[in-house]
Amino acid sequence: MTVDELTRPVSRRTLGTETLLVLGLSLGQSAVYALVSLAAKLTAAGGLSKQTASLNNSVSARPYLDLTYQLLGILFALLPVLLAVHLLARDPGDPARTLGADLTRPGSDLARGAGLAALIGLPGLALFWAAAQLGINATLVPAALPHLWWAVPVLILAAVQNAVLEEVIVVGYLFTRLRQLQWRVGAVLAASALLRGSYHLYQGFGAFLGNAVMGVIFGLFYLRTRRVGPLIVAHTVLDVVAFVGYALLPKSWFGWL
């Protein structure tokens, strides 16, 4: 193999295959499972509205074994992010700067992220309520961990993991690669939003719609700023409020879910 062969640009075919593999190991895989889960709920007794979609479930009756499983699940769920960043490192420049995930603007990222969380959060609650009334969502249980000392810290870590995984892969990485593959901006935005909605289909059609709209808003924000940092902040805030709020507040408050 010559030096020229080692340093030649990566072909579009290679980039396309790489993108499919990264998605297949991460949220593309989740989308397929979510579709199967939706089909199972639709064909179960009582239909979709009588089924339950549960997040952050306990996996062992032994508390410290359960904690071990939870932490390992969070750790391994982040490996596709590291893979995506590693692959982006082949491109010119620092991949963290390419994604807008560096720590050069912490104040701005936090402020913008909080604003995005507020923009998404309240309309999102209204949409979930409407979906529940229409019977197009399953009953959502955002947190089903036992009431132990480590439950809230694990839920916070799970929220951070979800945010980092989704925003780096579905926005930063996917936008970068699809633009390199010469997709039009509108097509990239639509693909990212539809992917985000699709891996929430296990919750129902309302969750698909709500997350697809969120994907459009987040995608437009990224196109304008080229930073996933605020998106990670916003997503983390939304998930922490949902997970920890459900775990700590009376369950009677969440009957509308």
Side-chain angles (χ1 to χ4, degrees):
M1 182 175 291
T2 67
V3 173
D4 288 341
E5 289 174 320
L6 288 170
T7 58
R8 67 186 177 186
V10 178
S11 69
R12 290 181 62 189
R13 180 175 180 179
T14 299
L15 286 179
T17 301
E18 173 202 297
T19 304
L20 290 175
L21 289 173
V22 170
L23 293 179
L25 291 170
S26 58
L27 294 163
Q29 179 185 144
S30 298
V32 173
Y33 278 111
L35 184 60
V36 174
S37 178
L38 176 65
K41 290 180 174 67
L42 288 170
T43 55
L48 178 60
S49 63
K50 300 299 182 182
Q51 309 308 310
T52 299
S54 183
L55 290 71
N56 300 300
N57 297 300
S58 178
V59 294
S60 175
R62 298 160 62 183
Y64 284 98
L65 186 58
D66 195 3
L67 173 60
T68 301
Y69 279 126
Q70 299 295 336
L71 294 177
L72 287 175
I74 291 168
L75 174 64
F76 285 113
L78 289 173
L79 288 183
V81 175
L82 297 178
L83 174 61
V85 172
H86 172 74
L87 293 170
L88 287 174
R90 297 178 309 181
D91 300 346
D94 177 12
R97 285 184 176 272
T98 299
L99 293 168
D102 55 301
L103 300 178
T104 57
R105 307 177 191 175
S108 174
D109 287 350
L110 287 171
R112 289 180 170 186
L116 278 172
L119 175 67
I120 296 292
L122 293 178
L125 289 176
L127 180 60
F128 262 93
W129 178 84
Q133 303 310 303
L134 293 171
I136 58 173
N137 261 7
T139 298
L140 184 62
V141 179
L145 293 178
H147 295 288
L148 296 169
W149 67 267
W150 50 260
V152 169
V154 163
L155 290 173
I156 293 172
L157 288 174
V160 174
Q161 173 248 297
N162 287 344
V164 172
L165 174 64
E166 294 185 38
E167 305 316 326
V168 170
I169 297 291
V170 179
V171 180
Y173 173 80
L174 191 61
F175 272 61
T176 300
R177 283 295 184 247
L178 293 185
R179 288 297 289 152
Q180 289 174 332
L181 290 168
Q182 300 179 5
W183 284 40
R184 294 183 178 180
V185 172
V188 175
L189 185 63
S192 175
L194 289 174
L195 174 60
R196 187 186 296 267
S198 66
Y199 57 75
H200 288 93
L201 272 170
Y202 69 95
Q203 299 175 19
F205 297 107
F208 169 84
L209 177 60
N211 280 281
V213 172
M214 175 178 165
V216 171
I217 295 171
F218 276 23
L220 289 172
F221 179 90
Y222 181 74
L223 287 172
R224 183 178 179 84
T225 65
R226 294 295 173 180
R227 294 196 63 78
V228 299
L231 305 182
I232 292 172
V233 171
H235 196 146
T236 298
V237 170
L238 291 170
D239 278 6
V240 166
V241 170
F243 298 168
V244 177
Y246 189 89
L248 297 181
L249 295 174
K251 296 300 179 284
S252 59
W253 291 18
F254 301 96
W256 54 274
L257 285 175

